[in-house]
């Protein structure tokens, strides 16, 4: 088996790159000069190998303790709280490409819960069908909550796009929660008691 990778770029700074691997003798053979692996074509960041986007400038102190996950279509979703100690808001931003309602129209922003979410770490994951789940510590009720994205008709949250359920409220429980969903679409949460 032989694999051939070739850079056919043009210009003084781009040399063609031919690279062969032969499984028969387990050796890589470089047949011409190498070219840079990365090109600095990003934007918005100090390091132009990256692209930075201000997702939501319209919410004060938005983005604290954020966590990122990808849905089944490969689109990123971000869950975060406000940095202010007086804030009780938990936000979710999901990438939609066009027509979003965030500072960047490529994203949709939603205030999932504005009761008791102050300065807590939330965790977001998706099941195999693409449904989003969030676990979080309710700072006011000192309890562990799970939130499920339902699109509409939800209950227990500030947004009817989500359904919020208290999982455990025996004492002060739920801080530092971490959520995962198994192959049978069952959510599992580890947390501090």
């Amino acid at each position: 088996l032989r694999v051939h990778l070739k850079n056919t770029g043009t210009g003084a700074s781009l040399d063609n790159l031919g690279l062969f691997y032969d499984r028969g003798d387990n050796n890589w053979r470089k047949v011409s000069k190498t070219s840079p692996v990365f090109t600095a074509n990003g934007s918005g960041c100090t390091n132009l190998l990256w692209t930075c986007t201000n997702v939501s400038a319209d919410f004060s102190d938005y983005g604290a303790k954020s966590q990122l996950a990808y849905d089944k279509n490969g689109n990123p979703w971000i869950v975060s709280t406000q940095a202010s100690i007086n804030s009780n808001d938990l936000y979710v931003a999901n990438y939609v490409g066009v027509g979003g309602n965030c500072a960047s129209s490529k994203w949709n922003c939603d205030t999932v819960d504005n009761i008791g979410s102050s300065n807590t770490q939330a965790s977001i994951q998706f099941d195999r069908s693409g449904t989003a789940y969030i676990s979080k510590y309710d700072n006011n009720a000192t309890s562990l909550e799970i939130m499920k994205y339902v699109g509409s008709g939800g209950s227990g949250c500030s947004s009817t796009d989500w359904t919020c359920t208290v999982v455990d409220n025996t004492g002060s429980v739920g801080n530092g929660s971490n959520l995962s969903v198994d192959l049978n679409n069952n959510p599992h949460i580890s947390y501090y008691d």
Side-chain angles (χ1 to χ4, degrees), residues 77 124-127 130-134 147-150 162:
W77 289 52
I124 184 169
Q125 289 294 324
F126 293 86
D127 68 17
T131 300
Y133 290 87
I134 298 172
M147 303 165 175
K148 179 180 179 181
Y149 183 75
V150 293
W162 297 80

Side-chain angles (χ1 to χ4, degrees), residues 7-25:
N7 178 358
T8 58
T10 59
S13 64
L14 292 175
D15 295 319
N16 287 338
L17 170 66
L19 188 63
F20 294 86
Y21 175 69
D22 190 333
R23 288 184 67 187
D25 62 9

